[in-house]
Amino acid sequence: MHHPVAAEKFIQDTPRVNWHNKAVWYVREKRDKAAQDIPEWEQLRDYASAIKTDTISKLDKYLIEFEQRAIENGIKIHWAKDADTHNKIVHGILDTHQSRLVVKSKSMLTEECGLNPYLEAKGIEVVDTDLGERVIQFAKEDPSHIVMPAIHKKKEEIGELFYEHLETEKGNDDPNYLTEAARHHLRKKFLKADAAITGVNFAIAETGGFVVVTNEGNADMGVNLTPLHIASMGIEKIIPKAEHLGVFLRLLARSATGQPITTYTSHFHKPREGAQLHVVIVDNGRSRQLGQEDFRRSLHCIRCGACMNTCPVYRRSGGHSYGYSVPGPIGSILSPNMDPEKHASLPFASTLCGSCSAVCPVKIDVDKQLYKWRQVITEKGFAPNKKTLTIRLGKFAFSHPLTFRIFGSLSRKAGRIFPKKLLNTFFTKWTTGRDLPDLPKKSFRDWYLKNGIDSHD
Amino acid sequence: MVLIPMTDREQILNTIGANKPEEAQPFIMPTVQKEKGVTIEKQFIQMVGHVGGVCIRQHSKQISDMITVRYPHAKKIYSCTKEISSIGFNSENISNPIDLNGVDLAVLQGCFGVAENGAIWISEEEMMHRVLPYIAEHLVILLDHNSIVANMHDAYEQIDLTQVPYGTFISGPSKTADIEQTLVMGAQGPRSHMVILTD
């Protein structure tokens, strides 16, 4: 998916873009307030970054340690090198238990792997139990944000979806009423479910357990009512020690939504009596990313979504324009590792303002990586033709002073002779919503030759 | 020669081994100055309110009466504390957790509270059934007022995760803001959350 093309659809509805921009920015402001309440905030970011740097430098050792302790705890461990293997493993476990109805809490990894459609094709009913996820499941859409999956939906649309799927009153779009309806609907599913699938926020090497956080309590409700819990984790979810949770949990919810902590922060170390607990450890390109010096720090990510909330491009183009399970700045540096051709336009979907790096709780240099991916993508020949051509022309002009002067002089003349409307058609993307500035009468070089030396004295 | 295909585990670990950077220094957690006493209790009470709960101080003897007054409609009360006894529920009869659906009020003993975020640590031992804190319509947590720590660093000093099969921090009632950022309490779990600080 080409980002500018996909975004064009979204930006056609200006009031909606403004509404989306405002809604997402509001979350960024809540994050700022929460961060400012912690005097040692910057120190915590340094700690988190140092922990992750250590973690990924010994990732194999920590994964083995986690596996060993988890097995001792009675957890069954599976390894999946890619999305397909992950889906097969999960289906295999469900099949053994003859599970027909699965309740699922939010997991971006399972979105990345396309688990839901895979299981549905095998005849298993998958119910996303996070309210926002259930909404987009009804709408047959993908999440547009990793923390607030239905942030792009208006309450009127959700009311309509619930009228259709949950038989709520037509036209009733009161969030309290709709949430209550979803609660009743989902409670029935929880009580009937055969198995529960969750993600993993943090897996602790030294103790062989993991942490899952939610605000709704849907993860815990699912896994504590059903006899089978499957948790999927990316290899980068490991942290070395339990005490490190103190650092990450202070950062995560504050960065994500401005809450001091999520409502529920659950620690799973042993299966419930009479139940089974499986963890699927998934690579899916992460170990390859680890080998790229410029990009390995993207594996620090704890999926808080702060970089999305602050990004001027994300706020105005919407999550779906990215065409990847993780949208926004972080998704734009993760996705090219998966497929540089398919996601070639994403590192260009940025102003390189650096706001993402400024809010990142684990100090990923997101903007620098975006810039570096542009080089890689252009070298591989995946950059959009227009961009490559413009850059080539630019390169030629800048390295040939005479050509540069002629070009400059011609453009300034054109600016005086032709109306702006006509000129704008040459820069269609850039001039959508803005105008070309007035062109100066003479170049800086001419001015400098005349005035520069004198005024220096 | 017979080639034995590598397992996914071997493949992943081998690639990591080949691709990982030079070993970084392990992170040594610095010791943070601890705050104690009245300030953190005050902060805790304030934070429980901030996250959508209620926090009050009560003498142990009066808790039972107070709950009757506060929750007049609670027909099924499931308690794991010595101060309150279960009403309308015979705890021994619950072997399947789905039988807990319909509990009006759960009363649990919290292990300790965290001032910076109003969270309370509850381990499996205090829950009796893992699903209880989530499935009940309303939740009351009793907490010794001396057991509040300042922040999450202190919190993890209190817990030995190797000894806790399942444990959770709970901060406020179940909530969601998934519909146009409107905060709604009682998304899936308890609709209300009350913390009673005991002497």
Side-chain angles (χ1 to χ4, degrees), chain B residues 14 23 25 28 38 40 53 62 66-67 76 95 102 110 126 136 138 142 147 152-153 161 175 191 193 195 199:
Chain B
N14 286 350
E23 279 200 8
Q25 288 291 320
I28 312 289
V38 193
I40 64 166
Q62 295 158 347
M66 195 211 70
I67 284 182
K76 291 178 177 176
S95 55
E126 289 85 33
H138 300 275
L142 310 189
S147 70
M152 292 304 284
H153 309 299
L161 287 177
K175 53 176 110 42
R191 299 167 188 277
H193 172 92
V195 180
D199 296 320

Side-chain angles (χ1 to χ4, degrees), chain B:
Chain B
M1 197 175 90
V2 185
L3 279 173
I4 303 164
M6 272 199 291
T7 61
D8 280 35
R9 182 182 184 276
E10 286 167 329
Q11 277 188 47
I12 296 169
L13 292 175
N14 286 350
T15 318
I16 294 173
N19 285 351
K20 65 181 178 181
E22 203 180 311
E23 279 200 8
Q25 288 291 320
F27 177 75
I28 312 289
M29 192 69 210
T31 36
V32 191
Q33 193 71 34
K34 284 191 183 67
E35 283 176 66
K36 282 236 175 279
V38 193
T39 10
I40 64 166
E41 186 177 325
K42 229 174 117 182
Q43 191 193 2
F44 177 78
I45 294 171
Q46 203 185 352
M47 285 315 292
V48 172
H50 178 74
V51 298
V54 176
C55 184
I56 52 167
R57 187 90 180 249
Q58 196 78 40
H59 285 294
S60 301
K61 284 177 190 158
Q62 295 158 347
I63 292 173
S64 185
D65 290 342
M66 195 211 70
I67 284 182
T68 324
V69 175
R70 287 249 184 172
Y71 300 93
H73 304 296
K75 299 266 186 302
K76 291 178 177 176
I77 299 177
Y78 195 117
S79 171
C80 307
T81 66
K82 59 180 192 313
E83 284 84 355
I84 306 288
S85 44
S86 295
I87 301 164
F89 251 110
N90 188 349
S91 22
E92 276 103 53
N93 286 349
I94 291 159
S95 55
N96 190 339
I98 64 168
D99 296 337
L100 287 163
N101 190 42
V103 171
D104 294 308
L105 176 67
V107 187
L108 306 179
Q109 180 66 51
C111 298
F112 63 89
V114 186
E116 70 163 328
N117 53 29
I120 296 169
W121 175 254
I122 299 176
S123 71
E124 185 164 16
E125 222 172 299
E126 289 85 33
M127 295 176 193
M128 304 299 284
H129 294 275
R130 286 190 186 187
V131 81
L132 184 62
Y134 312 95
I135 206 165
E137 290 288 302
H138 300 275
L139 181 63
V140 169
I141 303 174
L142 310 189
L143 189 70
D144 178 349
H145 81 110
N146 285 315
S147 70
I148 298 168
V149 300
N151 57 37
M152 292 304 284
H153 309 299
D154 297 348
Y156 281 103
E157 278 182 21
Q158 309 277 314
I159 312 168
D160 178 3
L161 287 177
T162 61
Q163 302 303 313
V164 187
Y166 174 73
T168 189
F169 283 106
I170 301 182
S171 171
S174 161
K175 53 176 110 42
T176 181
D178 273 344
I179 303 176
E180 279 199 18
Q181 302 283 304
T182 308
L183 184 62
V184 181
M185 303 298 178
Q188 316 260 356
R191 299 167 188 277
S192 75
H193 172 92
M194 183 159 72
V195 180
I196 302 174
L197 293 180
T198 55
D199 296 320

Side-chain angles (χ1 to χ4, degrees), chain A residues 162-177:
Chain A
F162 279 21
Y163 165 70
E164 196 183 311
H165 292 271
L166 303 180
E167 292 170 358
T168 54
E169 295 161 25
K170 190 161 179 62
N172 194 335
D173 54 23
D174 172 46
N176 281 287
Y177 170 75

Side-chain angles (χ1 to χ4, degrees), chain A residues 19 26-27 38 44 47 50-51 53-54 56-60 63-64 67 79-81 85 129-132 148 151 153-156 158 175-176 178-180 183 186-187 190-191 204 215-216 220-221 224-225 235 242-247 249-250 254 260-272 283 287-288 290-291 296, chain B residues 8-9 11-13 15-17 19-30 32 47 50-51 96-98 101-102 116-119 121 124 130-131 133-137 139 151-153 156 159-162 164-191:
Chain A
W19 165 80
Y26 171 65
V27 185
I38 306 293
L44 287 174
Y47 294 172
I51 295 167
T53 305
D54 167 50
I56 64 167
S57 79
K58 300 168 201 135
L59 193 53
D60 45 356
L63 281 166
I64 293 167
E67 178 190 39
W79 298 75
K81 63 175 189 295
T85 318
T129 57
D130 173 83
L131 177 59
M148 303 165 288
I151 186 81
K153 282 255 173 272
K154 294 223 173 198
K155 60 183 181 191
E156 293 81 7
I158 297 172
N176 281 287
L178 296 174
T179 303
E180 184 68 24
R183 177 189 172 100
L186 289 167
R187 185 65 67 96
F190 280 125
L191 295 171
I204 312 129
N215 276 323
E216 298 179 17
D220 296 277
M221 189 87 87
N224 293 334
L225 282 172
I235 54 172
E243 65 179 18
H244 297 155
L245 286 169
V247 175
L249 291 169
R250 297 189 77 192
R254 288 186 175 96
I261 191 169
T262 47
T263 305
Y264 304 104
T265 307
S266 299
H267 302 58
F268 296 87
H269 278 78
K270 285 184 179 149
R272 197 177 79 236
D283 182 345
S287 61
R288 183 173 62 236
L290 184 66
R296 64 167 63 104
Chain B
D8 280 35
R9 182 182 184 276
Q11 277 188 47
I12 296 169
L13 292 175
T15 318
I16 294 173
N19 285 351
K20 65 181 178 181
E22 203 180 311
E23 279 200 8
Q25 288 291 320
F27 177 75
I28 312 289
M29 192 69 210
V32 191
M47 285 315 292
H50 178 74
V51 298
N96 190 339
I98 64 168
N101 190 42
E116 70 163 328
N117 53 29
W121 175 254
E124 185 164 16
R130 286 190 186 187
V131 81
Y134 312 95
I135 206 165
E137 290 288 302
L139 181 63
N151 57 37
M152 292 304 284
H153 309 299
Y156 281 103
I159 312 168
D160 178 3
L161 287 177
T162 61
V164 187
Y166 174 73
T168 189
F169 283 106
I170 301 182
S171 171
S174 161
K175 53 176 110 42
T176 181
D178 273 344
I179 303 176
E180 279 199 18
Q181 302 283 304
T182 308
L183 184 62
V184 181
M185 303 298 178
Q188 316 260 356
R191 299 167 188 277

Side-chain angles (χ1 to χ4, degrees), chain A residues 114-349:
Chain A
L115 180 67
N116 284 17
Y118 183 91
L119 293 179
E120 279 156 5
K122 304 268 180 194
I124 293 171
E125 184 186 350
V126 185
V127 176
D128 275 320
T129 57
D130 173 83
L131 177 59
E133 290 244 305
R134 191 62 175 154
V135 167
I136 55 160
Q137 200 178 24
F138 284 149
K140 296 190 172 61
E141 289 177 14
D142 291 322
S144 72
H145 190 289
I146 61 171
V147 174
M148 303 165 288
I151 186 81
H152 62 290
K153 282 255 173 272
K154 294 223 173 198
K155 60 183 181 191
E156 293 81 7
E157 293 163 324
I158 297 172
E160 194 57 35
L161 281 169
F162 279 21
Y163 165 70
E164 196 183 311
H165 292 271
L166 303 180
E167 292 170 358
T168 54
E169 295 161 25
K170 190 161 179 62
N172 194 335
D173 54 23
D174 172 46
N176 281 287
Y177 170 75
L178 296 174
T179 303
E180 184 68 24
R183 177 189 172 100
H184 285 280
H185 158 70
L186 289 167
R187 185 65 67 96
K188 278 186 217 145
K189 296 287 183 188
F190 280 125
L191 295 171
K192 270 175 33 193
D194 304 308
I197 297 174
T198 70
V200 167
N201 289 96
F202 304 99
I204 312 129
E206 73 169 351
T207 63
F210 60 92
V211 171
V212 179
V213 307
T214 70
N215 276 323
E216 298 179 17
N218 55 319
D220 296 277
M221 189 87 87
V223 302
N224 293 334
L225 282 172
T226 56
L228 174 62
H229 175 186
I230 305 170
S232 298
M233 63 173 267
I235 54 172
E236 84 286 16
K237 291 291 169 191
I238 286 278
I239 56 169
K241 290 163 175 258
E243 65 179 18
H244 297 155
L245 286 169
V247 175
F248 290 109
L249 291 169
R250 297 189 77 192
L251 290 165
L252 179 58
R254 288 186 175 96
S255 297
T257 59
Q259 292 174 264
I261 191 169
T262 47
T263 305
Y264 304 104
T265 307
S266 299
H267 302 58
F268 296 87
H269 278 78
K270 285 184 179 149
R272 197 177 79 236
E273 222 181 278
Q276 275 193 23
L277 178 49
H278 295 251
V279 171
V280 189
I281 302 171
V282 186
D283 182 345
N284 207 32
R286 288 163 175 77
S287 61
R288 183 173 62 236
Q289 187 88 319
L290 184 66
Q292 311 193 63
E293 197 188 338
D294 285 343
F295 305 121
R296 64 167 63 104
R297 270 171 75 188
S298 62
L299 297 171
H300 289 196
C301 179
I302 56 171
R303 302 291 191 270
C304 70
C307 61
M308 285 156 220
N309 303 338
T310 199
C311 178
V313 176
Y314 173 89
R315 281 186 275 120
R316 291 174 184 85
S317 66
H320 287 154
S321 64
Y322 292 80
Y324 185 66
S325 56
V326 179
I330 182 69
S332 301
I333 61 172
L334 292 173
S335 56
N337 173 54
M338 304 302 286
D339 187 339
E341 188 172 6
K342 187 179 171 196
H343 304 295
S345 67
L346 298 187
F348 295 92

Side-chain angles (χ1 to χ4, degrees), chain A residues 357-369:
Chain A
S357 306
V359 297
C360 177
V362 289
K363 295 198 131 177
I364 300 171
D365 50 345
V366 189
D367 61 319
K368 289 200 176 66
Q369 293 194 30

